[in-house]
Amino acid sequence: MSLRIVSSCVNCWACQPVCPSDAILQAPKHFVINDRKSTECEGSYDVPQCASICPIEGAITNAAGEAMNPPGSLTGIPPEMVAAAQAEIRAR
Amino acid sequence: MELTVLDSTDTQASGCSSSGCGSTDDQLAHLPDEIRDKVYNHPCYSEQAHHYFARMHVAVAPACNIQCHYCNRKYDCSNESRPGVVSELLTPDQAVKKTLAVAANIPQMTVLGIAGPGDPLANPERTFATFRMLSEQAPDIKLCVSTNGLALPESVDELAKHNIDHVTITINAVDPDVGAKIYPWIFWENKRIKGREAAAILIEQQQKGLQMLTERGILVKVNSVMIPGVNDEHLKEVSRIVKSKGAFLHNVMPLISEAEHGTFFGLMGQRGPEPEELQNLQDACAGDMNMMRHCRQCRADAVGLLGEDRGEEFTLDKIEAMEIDYEAAMVRRAEVHRSIEAELNQHAQAKPAAPTDIDPDARPVLMAIASQGGGVINQHFGHAHEFLIYEASPAGVRFISHRKTDNYCEGGDTCGDGESVLSRTIGTLSGCEAVLCSKIGYEPWDMLEAAGIKPNGEHAMERIEDAVAAVYREMWEAGALSAVDEQLVVA
Ligand code: SF4
Ligand code: SF4
C-alpha cells in the first residue's frame, strides 16, 4: 500500500497539481490518492511530491500508516517545545 | 494620546494634503503621467477612485507553494472577510462567466484580480487560462494578479504576453533571518525547504521578479504584512529597497491574527498592530513614495466597491441563469465610466476651504468620520462598521486610514452586549479628538466625551474635507490648537 491522504486533509489543493502521476483526486470529504496510479514518485523525484508540499501535519501517511509530516515538522516547533515558543511569541 | 507632527516636506510628498483625494492632488500625484493614466480608475490604487469604481476577485488558484505563519489553508468560510478566504472556487470557464456577469451588472467595475486563495502563479494553467479568455472577451477590464513571488521570475514573460499591467507582490522581508520567522517552509525545485534557506530563496525570487516586471514596464505594487516584534522595524528597509527597484506603491497592512482563524500566529498568540502603530509605520515608510491608506484587505472573492461585498448576487447558480450580452454591456460600461470621470474631474476642481490663515505652528488633529461613501458624512455613529481617519493641520486636510469596528447598534436583542462593543469602538478611535457623523445617540455621546473625543453631528451630508477643515477652524478659534503641546508630540 502506498501513500494515503487521511481525514485531517483540509482540501487545500496543493498536492494535486504537483503529482507526476495524476494520482490525486478531489473526493467528497477530502482529496484521495489513487493507489493504482501512484508511483510514490519513483523514477520522477527523490521524494513524494504530495507529502513535500502538503501543509498539514499528519494529513498524508505512508504504507506503515505513519505521518509523512509528523507533528512539529512543518511549523518547526517540536511538540514538547510549543509552550515555550508560545510564551516567546506572545511577548512580542 | 499620540499625534505625529506633519512637517511641510512630508505634506508635499504625501499628497492628499489640500484636497484630500482630488485627482489632481491625490496620493498618486507623485506618479509619472503614464502610471497615473493606468491607475486613475483602479479602486485599489486611488483613494478617490474607490468611491466610484468597483473591482472583483475570482478564486481560481487554490494551490500554494509556500507557507506563511499568518495563513490558514482552510479557507472555505462565508462569514469571514479577509484575504485568503473564499466560499466558491471556480474553474477558469466559470471565472470568465462570472466576470462577464458582474461587469455587465455592475458597470462601475473596472478591475478583475486573481489573488488566491493559494498563489496564482503556483497555478499557472488556471490563472493564465482565465486571463487569456478575459483579455479576448472583455478587453475593457483591467487584469491584476497578486503573488508571493516564488514562481514570479518564470512567469514574467507569460504575464507580459497577456498584457497584465498590475502585479502585487507580497514582500514581508528582505532579510532571510526575518523571513524565517514568517515563512516556515517553501516548496522549491520539487523539495520542501525549511527555515532560513527557504526564506533566502523566496526573497531572492521576489526581488528578481520585481526587477523583471519593472524592466518590462509592468506596474508593481508591494504588499507587506506588519507583524509586531517580527518585521515592523524591518519594513522601513523593505520599503526603501522596493521603491529603489521601481515598485510604484507600497501597501503596509496589519497582521490579522485572531486565534479563531486557526493560523500559526493566531494560535501562538502573536498580536496584530494597534491602529496607531500601523499609522506610524505607514508614515515612516511614506517618504518619496506614497502609501496606500485605504486598503480593506478584502476577501479573495469580493465583488463590488471597496468596503462592500456583493458576491452573494453572483453565485454560480445565479450567474448560470443570467443572459449576458457583453457587446451591449461594453457600450453601457463606457458611458458609465465617462460620466464617473467627469464627476471626478469636477471634484478635483472644487477645492475645499483650506484653513489658510491658521498659525502654521498649530498642531495637527486627527478626526474620525462615519461615512457610507461618496466622500460625505452620511452615517449614524452606531451604524458605522469603520471610521475614516482624517488629519487636519495648517497645511490642509488629508486622509490617513480607516479603522474597523464592530458596529454596536444592531438594534433589538443584541443591545445587551452594546456597552462593551461601544467601549471597544471608542478604543479603536484612540488618538482622534473628534468624531463626525450624521447622528449620534446620548449614550455614545457621553462615553466619547469621557474619552476625550468630541462627538459632532453638525456636518451631516457635507463633504468630508470641508467639514474637517471647518471643525479644525473652530478648534483654532476656541484656542485649542495654539501651540504644539510637548506631551503630544511623538519623537
Ligand atoms: S507519491 Fe507522488 S505519485 Fe503518488 S500521489 Fe503523491 S505525488 Fe502522486
Ligand atoms: S496538500 Fe495535504 S491538505 Fe492539501 S489537499 Fe493535499 S493532502 Fe489535503
Side-chain angles (χ1 to χ4, degrees):
Chain A
M1 204 178 84
S2 63
L3 302 195
R4 257 172 60 107
I5 295 175
V6 302
S7 64
S8 47
C9 164
V10 297
N11 298 308
C12 78
W13 285 77
C15 55
Q16 201 257 0
V18 297
C19 172
S21 323
D22 211 7
I24 298 176
L25 309 166
Q26 208 183 355
K29 290 207 169 120
H30 56 78
F31 280 74
V32 294
I33 294 173
N34 179 339
D35 251 357
R36 278 186 306 237
K37 277 189 157 185
S38 173
T39 55
E40 299 197 36
C41 288
E42 261 185 49
S44 306
Y45 301 105
D46 296 343
V47 282
Q49 296 298 286
C50 52
S52 301
I53 200 169
C54 177
I56 305 298
E57 293 167 350
I60 302 183
T61 56
N62 64 15
E66 298 154 351
M68 294 291 288
N69 298 299
S73 63
L74 300 186
T75 59
I77 305 176
E80 66 277 12
M81 289 171 68
V82 166
Q86 217 155 11
E88 186 201 316
I89 290 173
R90 281 225 175 97
R92 284 171 187 164
Chain B
M1 181 169 45
E2 294 183 331
L3 278 176
T4 354
V5 175
L6 185 115
D7 71 43
S8 56
T9 49
D10 180 44
T11 316
Q12 293 303 319
S14 312
C16 255
S17 53
S18 60
S19 71
C21 310
S23 59
T24 56
D25 193 22
D26 67 8
Q27 91 263 43
L28 302 172
H30 66 295
L31 295 172
D33 285 347
E34 77 268 16
I35 296 184
R36 292 180 48 165
D37 282 347
K38 282 186 178 175
V39 298
Y40 82 96
N41 66 351
H42 194 307
C44 307
Y45 291 164
S46 162
E47 167 55 29
Q48 174 75 330
H50 91 264
H51 297 299
Y52 300 90
F53 290 110
R55 55 72 178 102
M56 69 178 287
H57 290 168
V58 287
V60 294
C64 196
N65 50 6
I66 72 173
Q67 178 70 51
C68 305
H69 276 325
Y70 49 75
C71 177
N72 173 3
R73 300 286 189 83
K74 216 173 157 176
Y75 47 73
D76 179 11
C77 176
S78 52
N79 296 322
E80 284 171 25
S81 186
R82 63 186 163 92
V85 169
V86 65
S87 42
E88 204 169 56
L89 182 66
L90 306 177
T91 64
D93 284 319
Q94 290 168 329
V96 170
K97 192 150 190 208
K98 177 170 173 176
T99 307
L100 297 180
V102 171
N105 284 287
I106 308 181
Q108 296 85 345
M109 188 201 117
T110 52
V111 176
L112 177 279
I114 300 185
D119 186 72
L121 302 181
N123 299 254
E125 283 102 29
R126 298 172 71 102
T127 297
F128 289 124
T130 309
F131 283 152
R132 202 175 311 121
M133 287 187 270
L134 280 176
S135 49
E136 280 164 18
Q137 296 176 38
D140 61 336
I141 296 175
K142 288 173 191 274
L143 305 175
C144 340
V145 63
S146 287
T147 178
N148 61 40
L150 184 62
L152 182 54
E154 70 203 55
S155 312
V156 167
D157 286 336
E158 182 84 27
L159 284 167
K161 225 187 284 169
H162 296 302
N163 205 15
I164 289 147
D165 48 15
H166 307 83
V167 175
T168 298
I169 315 175
T170 300
I171 300 182
N172 297 316
V174 290
D175 172 348
D177 288 318
V178 177
K181 293 188 188 144
I182 304 170
Y183 311 105
W185 55 264
I186 65 173
F187 182 74
W188 175 248
E189 291 180 342
N190 304 102
K191 289 190 289 287
R192 193 192 309 266
I193 300 193
K194 296 179 184 170
R196 192 180 188 282
E197 189 193 353
I201 294 168
L202 176 63
I203 289 165
E204 196 190 322
Q205 293 295 102
Q206 291 171 332
Q207 296 298 323
K208 199 163 140 196
L210 166 60
Q211 211 147 6
M212 290 172 74
L213 287 168
T214 54
E215 277 163 17
R216 284 165 179 74
I218 299 175
L219 293 187
V220 180
K221 176 181 103 212
V222 169
N223 277 358
S224 299
V225 179
M226 176 184 184
I227 309 161
V230 175
N231 71 347
D232 40 359
E233 281 304 308
H234 179 61
L235 284 181
K236 295 173 194 167
E237 168 84 351
V238 170
S239 197
R240 201 180 52 71
I241 289 178
V242 300
K243 284 175 212 170
S244 73
K245 291 204 177 153
F248 87 104
L249 263 185
H250 186 203
N251 178 21
V252 176
M253 306 177 297
L255 172 71
I256 300 174
S257 62
E258 276 75 11
E260 65 265 30
H261 296 157
T263 64
F264 173 86
F265 276 154
L267 295 173
M268 296 297 285
Q270 167 70 49
R271 72 180 178 92
E274 298 298 326
E276 285 174 311
E277 289 177 301
L278 177 69
Q279 193 175 307
N280 290 340
L281 177 60
Q282 288 177 332
D283 285 338
C285 293
D288 58 345
M289 185 180 71
N290 288 298
M291 307 295 295
M292 268 185 67
R293 306 265 191 183
H294 66 279
C295 173
R296 299 299 199 277
Q297 297 183 287
C298 47
R299 282 171 66 102
D301 57 1
V303 172
L305 292 172
L306 251 57
E308 77 172 15
D309 192 351
R310 296 176 57 182
E312 285 292 305
E313 295 167 46
F314 301 96
T315 52
L316 275 182
D317 43 332
K318 288 183 185 150
I319 58 173
E320 212 52 61
M322 293 178 190
E323 281 290 337
I324 304 297
D325 175 354
Y326 200 71
E327 290 292 319
M330 258 205 289
V331 176
R332 177 151 166 262
R333 287 167 49 72
E335 275 166 27
V336 169
H337 292 189
R338 262 195 305 277
S339 77
I340 296 176
E341 268 162 54
E343 196 181 332
L344 285 177
N345 283 333
Q346 231 171 18
H347 270 276
Q349 271 142 31
K351 290 263 174 197
T356 41
D357 55 337
I358 289 179
D359 184 336
D361 290 333
R363 64 185 176 83
V365 168
L366 292 182
M367 299 185 204
I369 316 297
S371 172
Q372 288 175 288
V376 293
I377 298 168
N378 57 1
Q379 196 169 33
H380 191 297
F381 178 82
H383 296 166
H385 287 281
E386 64 174 16
F387 288 90
L388 305 177
I389 309 298
Y390 278 73
E391 182 198 68
S393 73
V397 174
R398 65 174 181 144
F399 173 73
I400 298 282
S401 64
H402 61 92
R403 294 184 192 172
K404 283 198 174 107
T405 68
D406 313 327
N407 60 327
Y408 76 91
C409 182
E410 288 174 334
D413 44 4
T414 56
C415 275
D417 194 31
E419 194 167 332
S420 60
V421 180
L422 178 56
S423 43
R424 272 209 300 281
T425 298
I426 291 173
T428 65
L429 300 182
S430 85
C432 297
E433 294 180 54
V435 56
L436 279 53
C437 50
S438 66
K439 264 197 174 143
I440 179 165
Y442 291 117
E443 188 196 2
W445 183 290
D446 289 344
M447 282 180 70
L448 279 164
E449 282 206 319
I453 304 170
K454 189 131 186 44
N456 186 323
E458 287 163 30
H459 296 272
M461 296 319 292
E462 283 179 31
R463 281 193 47 180
I464 295 171
E465 288 90 353
D466 293 338
V468 170
V471 172
Y472 189 64
R473 167 172 303 279
E474 282 163 25
M475 290 175 78
W476 163 250
E477 283 164 359
L481 311 174
S482 42
V484 174
D485 181 334
E486 291 300 318
Q487 286 177 315
L488 294 174
V489 181
V490 177

